[in-house]
Amino acid sequence: MLDTARLNRLPAAPGVGFKPQHFAAIMEDAGPVRWLEIHAENYMGDGGRPLAQLRALAERFAISVHGVGLSIGGAQPLDKDHLARLAKLVGWLDPASFSEHLAWSSHGDTYLNDLLPLPYTNATLTRVAEHIDTVQSTLRRPMLLENPSSYLAFAESTWSEPEFLAELARRTGCGLLLDVNNVFISSVNLGFTPQSYLDAFPLSRVAEIHVGGHDHDADDHGAPLLIDSHARPVAPPVWDLLAEVLARTGPCPVLVEWDNDVPDWPTLRDEARRAEHALQTVAVG
Amino acid sequence: MTAGTGSFAHALLHPNVTLPEGLTDGNGQPAGRRLNVLRNNVASSLGEALRNGFPVVTKLLGTENMKAIAALYLRAYPPRSPVLSAYGTDLPEFLAGLSQLSHLGYLPDIARLELALRASYHAADAPALDPSRLTDLSPQDLTESTLSFAPSLRLVRSRWPVHAIWLRNTQHDAPKPVAEPQDVLITRREFDPVPHLLPRGGADWIAAISKGQSLGDALDVAQTTAPDFDPASTLAILLRDNALTSLTLKDQRL
């Protein structure tokens, strides 16, 4: 069994993605929220309000630093400057967890600001594992790697995504961040069942879970295409899937993501209460 | 062409480029417009970042025009860093080069002002100079002293009334701008940068001090172009807004 305490010091409780407009309200009444996730790239300035808020939050809450720009799944070496910025942030903040995505976002010196897909082959496996090794040795801590949401697949892939993630975790010792919304989105978009994905997923390595909202669209053939928008409440089938996952993993830190069309704090707090309820159910069950 | 990141990145930034081969819908059919989800994510998230970074430029142009300009800007100057607080640094030059915007000559300087406000917002914190360090000095010592500014201080010089235009588009009841050159001093008392209109000569005075000239020499520089320049009001802003971090007496300098 994996030593998740080594991977992650987040409480097995609800967390939310922190938005600056919620700062005062969270400090006043956090509800069930015990930990907060910040996007690393928003806290790489030299000072001012962002860092002051982060210092104040870190005194009250466990913090998860979630990178969105490292391009771990990219074909090129990791950006040394960006790695240094991350090391600086993780160094002074000493967060409870650091996580990034199985995705790429940079080509050459162009940053595309999206989590882009990669083929799952022996070659990409080797490269991504090297990148994770570099991150973990630079930050001097294990990291969590998150499964992506997918809109398309690569004909050249020879690994399934859960097996690819399992092998990465085995080779690098990293933990996994299971985004249940992403599993649901990918299952609809690429035509598999979430249960088959979870059956193949190394759940023993999961140290954190994400849920979030998605939007509905359609592809060229009218097939449903779900969009990972983080712009609305968590959908009912994703709450159901969270309950299934928690029944298999046991209590785990669960984060509610809401990044666009961000609601007022009470609305987001209510979403965190639903996550709390899911966690209480599994604790009792 | 295979679906390497190079062709993939190119296809994301250029909507008319043919899709890389080898992308499917998960069931062996071509991915088709599924790539558009990613194209849209790239263009809309970076367009939004630009609008958030330049609210007054956006207001002056209108949101739809700004979206179109953001799409052009993205292809001309794609982000070079995942730290998006630095995205848009080339926008002033880019706007200045767009012939269809030549009737809005002040727009590049408004963009410069908004960049300076953003840089000030993220600048390092620094403990302020105790005002008594200044007020306790004899006039002679004060004249011969040099000052250091907080990292959040910025100076924007313009031949357009940029301060008045900025005010008019951010505050209720601000007067209509009148055609005149305006220089702006940005200070950040705690967390929120504030642009102040400088008197004539003020920008020369600030620039001379930041180059390390003594207060007396800086005053000479300022009064060369603006004989009636009085530093009192600008110095009061610097003290009130914690914009001074150190004072060095003449005999402490090498």
Side-chain angles (χ1 to χ4, degrees):
Chain A
M1 193 68 188
L2 186 73
D3 179 9
T4 49
R6 197 178 68 87
L7 287 171
N8 189 331
R9 289 177 276 133
L10 295 172
V16 295
F18 171 67
K19 299 294 160 199
Q21 59 266 45
H22 294 152
F23 178 77
I26 288 178
M27 293 302 255
E28 176 81 23
D29 176 14
V33 171
R34 299 256 315 275
W35 60 282
L36 300 169
E37 177 188 276
I38 58 142
H39 288 178
E41 285 71 14
N42 292 337
Y43 295 88
M44 290 179 170
D46 293 322
R49 179 177 284 118
L51 298 190
Q53 285 191 342
L54 182 51
R55 283 191 294 269
L57 292 169
E59 287 179 13
R60 293 263 300 270
F61 301 92
I63 304 288
S64 165
V65 172
H66 192 51
V68 297
L70 199 52
S71 206
I72 281 181
Q76 59 198 24
L78 295 178
D79 177 345
K80 286 200 167 53
D81 292 341
H82 196 58
L83 210 45
R85 287 189 287 262
L86 267 180
K88 182 180 170 191
L89 174 63
V90 167
W92 73 258
L93 184 61
D94 188 23
S97 172
F98 173 74
S99 51
E100 252 282 1
H101 300 84
L102 179 60
W104 63 278
S105 50
S106 293
H107 174 74
D109 60 356
T110 294
Y111 172 68
L112 292 158
N113 198 36
D114 195 26
L115 300 165
L116 299 164
L118 58 145
Y120 301 139
T121 66
N122 289 339
T124 58
L125 182 69
T126 302
R127 197 166 59 221
V128 175
E130 285 169 5
H131 288 171
I132 293 170
D133 286 341
T134 302
V135 173
Q136 295 186 138
S137 61
T138 305
L139 301 184
R140 286 184 263 169
R141 57 164 68 213
M143 62 167 284
L144 309 182
L145 188 69
E146 178 177 345
N147 58 300
S149 53
S150 300
Y151 306 101
L152 45 79
F154 290 80
E156 64 183 297
S157 286
T158 54
W159 290 75
S160 77
E161 187 172 285
E163 287 163 346
F164 193 82
L165 284 161
E167 182 61 13
L168 283 172
R170 192 190 67 77
R171 287 193 193 181
T172 66
C174 77
L176 297 174
L177 193 175
L178 178 61
D179 188 316
V180 174
N181 185 46
N182 288 356
V183 172
F184 184 75
I185 288 170
S186 299
S187 74
V188 170
N189 290 351
L190 301 182
F192 57 81
T193 66
Q195 286 70 28
S196 68
Y197 187 97
L198 294 178
D199 288 343
F201 201 90
L203 291 172
S204 66
R205 301 203 73 104
V206 172
E208 182 186 337
I209 293 170
H210 277 182
V211 291
H214 57 252
D215 281 292
H216 293 257
D217 200 348
D219 76 357
D220 300 80
H221 310 290
L225 192 64
L226 300 185
I227 310 295
D228 188 17
S229 61
H230 296 181
R232 57 187 64 258
V234 178
V238 173
W239 286 123
D240 293 344
L241 198 55
L242 173 66
E244 279 185 52
V245 168
L246 288 173
R248 298 196 202 187
T249 61
C252 190
V254 175
L255 180 95
V256 178
E257 295 185 292
W258 199 325
D259 295 311
N260 296 298
D261 297 333
V262 176
D264 63 9
W265 173 244
T267 306
L268 184 54
R269 193 183 53 205
D270 286 349
E271 288 284 277
R273 288 224 163 89
R274 295 195 66 171
E276 182 189 34
H277 179 72
L279 281 163
Q280 284 167 344
T281 304
V282 69
V284 173
Chain B
M1 193 160 62
T2 62
T5 55
S7 58
F8 207 114
H10 188 70
L12 289 178
L13 288 176
H14 300 86
N16 299 322
V17 164
T18 321
L19 289 179
E21 287 173 15
L23 302 178
T24 77
D25 66 354
N27 292 303
Q29 299 299 308
R33 59 183 283 259
R34 287 165 171 251
L35 193 73
N36 289 352
V37 176
L38 304 176
R39 277 177 171 147
N40 183 54
N41 285 350
V42 171
S44 69
S45 68
L46 289 170
E48 189 182 344
L50 209 63
R51 292 197 301 282
N52 289 342
F54 297 93
V56 173
V57 169
T58 301
K59 193 171 175 199
L60 289 166
L61 284 169
T63 301
E64 290 312 307
N65 288 332
M66 186 63 176
K67 282 182 180 176
I69 282 169
L72 296 172
Y73 180 74
L74 170 59
R75 287 195 276 281
Y77 297 96
R80 298 298 181 206
S81 161
V83 185
L84 288 182
S85 61
Y87 183 51
T89 48
D90 296 302
L91 190 67
E93 287 70 27
F94 182 75
L95 293 173
L98 291 177
S99 58
Q100 59 269 46
L101 296 180
S102 57
H103 60 295
L104 303 174
Y106 50 83
L107 207 57
D109 280 0
I110 297 294
R112 283 186 192 99
L113 176 59
E114 295 203 287
L115 276 178
L117 286 165
R118 195 175 357 148
S120 175
Y121 183 79
H122 291 286
D125 309 302
L129 178 75
D130 181 345
S132 68
R133 290 269 291 134
L134 271 172
T135 49
D136 289 353
L137 290 180
S138 71
Q140 180 65 29
D141 282 347
L142 189 59
T143 299
E144 293 175 352
S145 296
T146 59
L147 294 171
S148 299
F149 293 137
S152 55
L153 181 136
R154 292 289 183 285
L155 181 62
V156 178
R157 312 179 71 145
S158 178
R159 60 194 181 92
W160 303 96
V162 286
H163 187 262
I165 294 170
W166 187 88
L167 273 187
R168 178 83 170 170
N169 288 281
T170 53
Q171 292 177 14
H172 245 36
D173 311 330
K176 203 164 179 253
V178 180
E180 63 168 355
Q182 288 188 340
D183 298 329
V184 179
L185 174 70
I186 296 169
T187 56
R188 193 187 89 199
R189 186 175 162 78
E190 191 182 19
F191 297 134
D192 294 304
V194 175
H196 311 274
L197 177 62
L198 283 169
R200 236 168 65 78
D204 288 333
W205 186 69
I206 295 282
I209 292 171
S210 56
K211 277 187 231 151
Q213 293 188 253
S214 70
L215 283 173
D217 289 348
L219 188 60
D220 288 345
V221 169
Q223 290 180 340
T224 307
T225 48
D228 57 350
F229 172 70
D230 177 351
S233 65
T234 308
L235 189 58
I237 291 170
L238 294 173
L239 283 170
R240 187 197 62 202
D241 285 0
N242 302 327
L244 301 175
T245 53
S246 71
L247 176 146
T248 310
L249 293 166
K250 185 188 181 189
D251 50 14
Q252 292 170 335
R253 292 201 295 275
L254 294 176

